[in-house]
Amino acid sequence: MTDSFEAKGKRLRLVNELRNKGITDEEVLRAMNVVPRHLFIDDAFLVHAYVDKAFPISAGQTISQPYTVAFQSSLLKVKKRDKILEIGTGSGYQAAILAEMGAKIYTIERFRELYLKAQVILRELKYNSVNFFYGDGHEGKPQYSPFDAILITAATKSIPQLLLEQLKVGGRLVAPVGGKGLQEMTLVEKIAENEYKYSGHGSFVFVPMLTGTK
Ligand code: SAH
């Protein structure tokens, strides 16, 4: 697993594209310039790795579009040493971006194959602050709660109450909310115990958040 001058050049171009599309969080942009996205894509398809598109990974799932990763990461307002719960490990790329930003990650995946694969790549890249779990993310990880931030990277019809309960007061949850087709990127800010502020941030397309494991 290697990085290359070619990949670095393509990555810088992608980061500039994200900037032009309105991403302003410098820490997010820095992390995306550092993490080698091509290593998260099957067979290291360099040509597909650094265009701003989602791409198929194993198990019929996708690695999110770079713009989407940047957008969700920006909404989370990540601070160093934040404790973040991610639902939907997928390729592990989003977790790597958050780890590069200095956060401690707890990430859950329902597909065993992806759960195993993502760990290999992140270990190789030395992102040791990422903790992996195999299971249904609807339940969250109460034993590690409360979290500074929670990120759902699969489309959910509604935000699970169990996850809202695992958020710190002052914490932020980001999730694409909706059914098939388009979902609304939703930010939930926990103002007080049992008090939440919701805001919508535009339409996105995600694979569905499903129940149970595979
Ligand atoms: N964050 C990922 C995006 C993966 S796509 C990345 O950076 O590549 C969404 C992922 O959510 C898929 O891998 C899918 O299997 C997973 N998923 C769907 N429903 C889930 C659930 N209930 N619990 C955990 N993971 C789930």
Side-chain angles (χ1 to χ4, degrees):
M1 292 229 268
T2 51
D3 205 1
S4 65
F5 279 122
E6 190 190 358
K8 283 186 180 131
K10 284 181 191 288
R11 221 153 46 234
L12 188 57
R13 219 177 313 143
L14 173 65
V15 165
N16 285 330
E17 189 180 334
L18 295 174
R19 211 186 279 280
N20 290 336
K21 288 179 177 173
I23 302 297
T24 56
D25 187 321
E26 286 301 327
E27 260 305 288
V28 171
L29 293 165
R30 187 194 62 77
M32 294 192 68
N33 197 29
V34 171
V35 179
R37 187 171 185 263
H38 64 282
L39 302 183
F40 294 82
I41 287 179
D42 285 344
D43 301 316
F45 280 124
L46 199 55
V47 278
H48 295 289
Y50 298 110
V51 289
D52 191 19
K53 287 200 174 121
F55 196 76
I57 52 172
S58 320
Q61 301 304 310
T62 57
I63 177 170
S64 300
Q65 183 179 341
Y67 178 77
T68 304
V69 172
F71 194 84
Q72 287 199 298
S73 304
S74 301
L75 277 180
L76 285 175
K77 290 219 192 310
V78 180
K79 293 186 298 303
K80 282 206 168 61
R81 288 178 288 283
D82 268 0
K83 200 162 85 173
I84 303 181
L85 175 67
E86 180 191 31
I87 313 300
T89 311
S91 66
Y93 176 70
Q94 170 76 73
I97 293 294
L98 298 174
E100 177 61 39
M101 293 174 74
K104 178 166 186 163
I105 322 299
Y106 296 79
T107 184
I108 313 177
E109 172 58 53
R110 67 181 289 277
F111 266 106
R112 184 175 282 282
E113 183 188 338
L114 296 175
Y115 154 75
L116 295 171
K117 214 167 171 176
Q119 290 178 66
V120 174
I121 304 172
L122 269 79
R123 207 176 298 134
E124 192 110 8
L125 291 172
K126 307 225 164 22
Y127 288 120
N128 300 322
S129 64
V130 182
N131 302 282
F132 296 87
F133 300 92
Y134 172 61
D136 183 341
H138 283 92
E139 287 144 40
K141 278 285 153 216
Q143 61 273 50
Y144 297 105
S145 69
F147 297 97
D148 297 292
I150 298 179
L151 174 61
I152 305 182
T153 69
T156 177
K157 293 218 172 76
S158 64
I159 296 166
Q161 182 59 31
L162 281 173
L163 296 184
L164 290 172
E165 285 169 11
Q166 291 170 36
L167 198 57
K168 259 183 207 166
V169 171
R172 303 158 76 84
L173 180 149
V174 172
V177 178
K180 273 212 173 100
L182 291 179
Q183 300 93 40
E184 178 74 9
M185 189 60 77
T186 306
L187 167 67
V188 187
E189 294 164 89
K190 189 161 181 170
I191 310 290
E193 280 308 330
N194 299 317
E195 197 186 333
Y196 300 95
K197 183 179 155 207
Y198 288 74
S199 54
H201 298 268
S203 299
F204 289 80
V205 183
F206 281 80
V207 296
M209 184 166 170
L210 303 170
T211 50
T213 54
K214 277 277 221 179

